[in-house]
Amino acid sequence: MRDDVTERSGTEVPEPATETETNGPDESTQAPSPEETAWSGPGAWVVPALVAILGLVAVWGALTIEAPPNATRPGPGAFPGVVGVLLLITAVCMAVVNLRGRGSESGVSPLAWFEGRPVLIVLAGLVVHIALLEVLGWLLAGALLFWIVAYAFGARAHLRDAIVALSISAAVQVGFSFGLGLNLPGGFLEVLL
């Protein structure tokens, strides 16, 4: 049939493109997937540096916190101190992994399991929670935070998640009020009630 078309029109009809020509460049020229390649260069040191900075801030805060005179041991600086030390240990372990170059031979990143999207959503939720805590009060701001964390990790039944988040927030507020004798911020609900 191709020869018939050529004879009638006098021009040659181009052949249809093969499958490899229509799919774009072959696999050897495609950029490597960031989830399958090891971190290299300066980017490999960003996360350990951030973890080390957070650890140093926590340890510094634990050492400089002013404890009330009637505080018993271990005191209010114990928890942030432990968290800070654990963060510093984690940063050192990550730095050792970078120095050893583990994962570069196999081409798989040691942090391939890490998904950044949920972490970023939770961090944004914490910022919103801190900003709204005094205005909304613990009950609503805490419920919003719990709902955002559930959303970040894949929960999509929004009404059910909101009810569960409000229940958890209320339980925490009751636990702090009656169990510890501490009042969490009431926000505008405290004024209304």
Side-chain angles (χ1 to χ4, degrees):
M1 180 174 158
R2 191 168 217 19
D3 294 333
D4 295 341
V5 172
T6 305
E7 288 174 8
R8 278 185 273 153
S9 65
T11 60
E12 191 169 319
V13 178
E15 293 184 23
T18 62
E19 189 174 319
T20 57
E21 292 174 358
T22 57
N23 289 341
D26 62 359
E27 292 181 18
S28 63
T29 61
Q30 288 182 348
S33 170
E35 292 183 8
E36 295 175 358
T37 57
W39 288 17
S40 61
W45 296 97
V46 171
V47 174
L50 290 175
V51 171
I53 290 169
L54 287 174
L56 289 172
V57 168
V59 169
W60 177 74
L63 294 175
T64 59
I65 194 169
E66 291 184 23
N70 61 349
T72 59
R73 306 254 329 137
F79 182 73
V82 169
V83 170
V85 168
L86 289 175
L87 285 171
L88 289 173
I89 291 170
T90 302
V92 168
C93 291
M94 294 171 84
V96 168
V97 167
N98 281 343
L99 290 174
R100 290 172 124 188
R102 190 182 318 168
S104 59
E105 296 85 16
S106 63
V108 178
S109 170
L111 297 176
W113 54 269
F114 177 74
E115 288 289 332
R117 185 175 179 271
V119 174
L120 294 176
I121 291 173
V122 169
L123 288 176
L126 282 170
V127 169
V128 169
H129 172 74
I130 291 168
L132 296 177
L133 183 59
E134 290 295 325
V135 176
L136 295 180
W138 167 259
L139 185 63
L140 297 178
L144 179 63
L145 177 63
F146 293 136
W147 183 86
I148 289 172
V149 170
Y151 177 82
F153 289 101
R156 295 297 184 260
H158 302 306
L159 181 61
R160 181 202 65 201
D161 298 338
I163 292 169
V164 170
L166 193 58
S167 302
I168 292 172
S169 181
V172 168
Q173 183 149 16
V174 167
F176 267 77
S177 296
F178 293 119
L180 299 174
L182 299 172
N183 291 328
L184 294 174
F188 74 91
L189 290 178
E190 189 173 41
V191 176
L192 293 176
L193 301 175

